[in-house]
Amino acid sequence: MTLPKKSLREILPELDGLMILAMVLLFLLGLVSIYSASQGATRMGQYYALRQTIWGGLSLAAFLVTVRIGYEEIYRWSHFVYGAVALLLLTVLLVGYSAKGAQSWINLGFFRLQPAELGKIALAVVLSRVAVVHGPHDLRGLTICLAVTAGIALPVMLQPDLGTVIVYAVMTFAALHVARAPRKYLFSLVGLALISLPLGWTFMKEYQRQRLLVFLDPYVDPLGAGYNVIQSRIAVGSGGIWGKGFLEGTQSRLHFLPESHTDFVFSVFAEEFGFAGTVVVLFLYSLLIWRILSTALATKDIRAKVMVSMVACWVWFQLFEVMAMSVGLAPVTGIPMPLFSYGGSALLSVSVGLALVQSVHVASRKSYV
Amino acid sequence: MNREINRRVEMDFRLSLLRWGLLLTLLLLGGAIFSFQVFRFDRYLQLAVQNRLRTLQVPAQRGRLFDTHGAPLALNVRTFDLKGYPLYLRREGVLENLEGLLGRHGIPLDADQLAEAVDRQYWAPFRAVTVVSNLTLAQVAGLVTDPDFSPQLFPYPVWRRVYPAGPLAAHVVGYVGEISREELDARRDRGYQGGDLIGKMGIEAVYEERLRGKNGEEAIEVDARGRRLRRLDYRPQEAGEDLFLTLDLGAQRLAAEMLADRRGGIVALDVATGAVRVLYSSPSFDTNPLSWGMAPGEWQAIIEAPERPMMNRTIAGAYPPASTFKAVVALAALGEKVITPNTTIFCSRTFKLGNRTFHCLRAHGTENVVEALRDSCNVFFYQVGLRTGIDLLSSWASLLGMGRPTGIDLLGEASGNVAGPEWKMARFQESWYQGDTVNYSIGQGFLLATPLQMAVVYAAIANGGYRVMPFLDESSPPPKENLHIEEAVLRPVVKGLENVVATGTGRQAGTFGVSLAGKTGTAQNYHGADHAWFVGYGPRENPRYAVAVLVEAGEKGSATAAPIGGRLLAYLIDHDGDQSR
């Protein structure tokens, strides 16, 4: 197994080109939308777009480093990765910087880091390994798998960052599914989640309840949480087939659309580029997810199959949630649209996640040579 | 091996299932968005074009301020703002017409000023901005009944800040004013907007976050002419927190009367806690016109006045502490065992160091530390200071709280200066001479202290060696620090300070019917007449309050400052029981 390591120059031509293309295009479309949104929202010109570009550069570096190290080497260090992220999450609970009611940031001077995003990487690496070693075929294996998730999800739940916890849950479910957990376990878990919904209600903060109520009927509170949903719907709907054109979206430029460079960035995009733009974005994400899962099918390493499918579900769930939210088909959460929304930690971690997938791709090609 | 392959086949089956499942959901999502963007396009475009939603800020009632007995220091009164939407105000000719209308009603604002106000507060075209503020009910009635009054404008009730105590507590309470561009940039993520009021000075600035409350918001639907049709939603304002200050307005008034038109500062502290009872700086200024908005010219006049009324002399004025510092020298010398209470020094009115001669007021003869404090004998402290040495003197001064801000909850506190040789080298590139230590020992030379710092030093002598942190917000008394000064070190100093008032230079402080202790001082002023100091505490038996009085150009501490300090302490002690609200 210990073949001499490939240099970056040898690795680069072996990467999955289509996947890279989809990633780059999605990032660029996101950048265009962030620019448009921040022009309207804060009159800060290119401020957010510039920051996102810097984060893009950092993410590219992280991508290359991860690909160079290779996923097999990272598996060897997976326990340290898990421990480090868990430690960061605890740190954030103790000394974190809070924004919008949740304590989820670590201040790094110019930038702030959100360890919950790194948790997704740690979860993919560690859970995929654990799920293969202790397969979730019996209650013992299942418990061990769920405990791995809980170690990361609990501190995040306490921040509280419910949106990210749901992403972890989706990733865990994907891991159990691919690691051949019996159907009765999978159905029980879904059942359990449904039963615990009313229980979750009592644990929710007021603003979270409000968001759920508003999801059921946005006109309950048109100025508060419902305002966003109504205005976002108007933005998307008024985009029509071809959209209003770049920087012409009246909803965001006139400030009817709040949080327009983060939570509602897709609404800005859909207003300005219409259904045609929506189709392009959906196609790019479909391509991305298709290529990720192709990698999972191609590799012989069963740990990697589980890990890669977890990354696929991470990307899928977040894009689905944001796009559905923009037309009021899903409740408002703060989770970002992968590669597209403004937010450095999210961009960085999804880049590392996709770099792991690329590394699996490279390794699986190697075995045929 | 076979099992391994079976596992992989089963996994790949589940992976394909997942792949097609995910793609199907994305297809469905595309269909849903299609129905919004294509089927319902007309309806949403309609909604976007004629967004008839308008929003208004409902200003929060700022927290009120009271003195320790409940006397009001800052309140809010109802006035009216004339508001409008930028959607309308930015149309051609609107502001020019408005200029004419306002002119006819005696409000002199030209179109350029109005345009600037609109730009400053602009957030969104549909969010109302204030065009004219502070209108009385009569002015509003006159305006709205004018046939030229546009229905696009409307009066809106708001709160204005008033300061019933005015100049009496100006430096403590501070004032509010319209947020500046720099302040707005610094607080971008804390919900401030152009046109908001913000604390600019004093308590108003320090406790801005607690006082400001939370603005409410009103969403209304308007007709095509901009007239309000109905309220869609309403989030009430949340009033800010009311604060009770430790200040005693009665004592504050007495302090102001005694200083009258002299320049200076007076502080009084509770020696046990550091609660500030009096903090008055003279000359003062009226904060009311500042918070209502004044013309730039009037503002300039206040800033540039030669007597500098905006400067808070109690915390930002650094003066040589003069003889009031001798108590610190005595503590250092006794604490470091350089002298004992029985050590005596002979004063022949002069003290020679090399070829320099330092003077005393008169020939005191043989004196110990208690007598030297009473008579304020310079020669005694010259020699004791030299024996103790500059390093120990400055470290005791620091220990007692000099040379750095006391930490009071006000902005703009000066550090003063207790620095020794390193500081002099850095500042003047000169080494420290014995003569510098001699000057230092009687509180002159490079030594500087604020009245508040001296009050903290004397509070520590009065309370048995605790350094208090002065505070004004009654709800959060800060902790005090035990300096571990031995009783045997404090006792001679206390005795000396008691004798100062009983029979020494501070006799004039002791004529108000209560027994006090303290020290006078006369600080050299190279720009004019000397500054007069008195720092002391009382009652002697069970000290409750410490005061520091500084009168600029007051000439003699014993004649000018001591009676003020004595009378203020007597007032505080006599009114000690009046804690009821």
Side-chain angles (χ1 to χ4, degrees), chain B residues 549-563:
Chain B
V549 177
L550 178 108
V551 182
E552 285 186 14
E555 310 260 0
K556 285 212 165 303
S558 54
T560 315

Side-chain angles (χ1 to χ4, degrees), chain A residues 4 13 25 34 71 84 106 181 261 321:
Chain A
L25 287 178
I34 291 164
Y71 82 99
I106 285 182
H261 63 289
E321 155 64 25

Side-chain angles (χ1 to χ4, degrees), chain A residues 15-292:
Chain A
L15 296 177
D16 183 340
L18 277 177
M19 205 194 296
I20 304 258
L21 183 73
M23 287 170 68
V24 170
L25 287 178
L26 283 168
F27 173 72
L28 291 178
L29 288 176
L31 204 57
V32 164
S33 310
I34 291 164
Y35 177 77
S36 177
S38 54
Q39 282 273 303
T42 58
R43 292 194 277 171
M44 287 177 71
Q46 301 108 342
Y47 176 71
Y48 286 118
L50 181 69
R51 281 182 73 116
Q52 182 76 351
T53 310
I54 296 172
W55 272 113
L58 289 175
S59 300
L60 177 63
F63 179 90
L64 293 176
V65 167
T66 310
V67 169
R68 173 75 174 77
I69 295 173
Y71 82 99
E72 284 157 319
E73 184 70 23
I74 289 175
Y75 263 130
R76 240 165 265 148
W77 294 90
S78 61
H79 292 96
F80 289 98
V81 172
Y82 185 84
V85 169
L87 208 66
L88 267 180
L89 285 169
L90 287 178
T91 317
V92 108
L93 273 187
L94 298 175
V95 297
Y97 178 92
S98 59
K100 290 182 214 153
Q103 183 146 332
S104 47
W105 304 83
I106 285 182
N107 206 335
L108 294 178
F110 184 50
F111 289 123
R112 290 180 314 202
L113 189 70
Q114 218 177 351
E117 286 293 334
L118 302 180
K120 294 168 188 168
I121 302 169
L123 190 65
V125 172
V126 176
L127 184 57
S128 61
R129 186 174 157 170
V130 169
V132 167
V133 178
H134 313 274
H137 318 296
D138 48 27
L139 267 179
R140 185 176 160 276
L142 183 70
T143 314
I144 292 174
C145 289
L146 293 180
V148 167
T149 303
I152 287 191
L154 275 179
V156 176
M157 185 109 86
L158 292 175
Q159 284 179 358
D161 180 353
L162 216 57
T164 304
V165 172
I166 296 173
V167 177
Y168 293 162
V170 170
M171 290 172 71
T172 305
F173 191 81
L176 296 177
H177 169 71
V178 175
R180 299 178 305 121
R183 289 214 172 77
K184 61 178 181 190
Y185 285 174
L186 296 177
F187 284 126
S188 311
L189 283 175
V190 173
L192 207 66
L194 289 178
I195 291 169
S196 62
L197 274 186
L199 197 71
W201 180 261
T202 58
F203 278 106
M204 277 187 213
K205 298 228 159 176
E206 191 50 42
Y207 77 96
Q208 290 171 328
R209 291 181 189 174
Q210 203 64 31
R211 283 175 167 183
L212 267 187
L213 281 182
V214 159
F215 167 56
L216 300 176
D217 177 10
Y219 294 87
V220 178
D221 176 19
L223 190 66
Y227 177 85
N228 302 4
V229 177
I230 296 171
Q231 296 298 346
S232 170
R233 247 187 210 175
I234 295 177
V236 175
S238 66
I241 296 180
W242 301 109
K244 297 175 184 171
F246 181 50
L247 297 181
E248 299 294 328
T250 52
Q251 282 295 106
S252 67
R253 298 199 56 76
L254 297 186
H255 296 277
F256 284 107
L257 199 57
E259 306 280 353
S260 53
H261 63 289
T262 54
D263 296 1
F264 288 97
V265 71
F266 175 71
S267 313
V268 175
F269 177 82
E271 184 184 17
E272 297 190 346
F273 298 100
F275 186 65
T278 306
V279 168
V280 169
V281 167
L282 268 177
F283 173 77
L284 289 174
Y285 276 121
S286 302
L287 178 66
L288 183 64
I289 289 171
W290 185 267
R291 291 306 304 164
I292 296 174

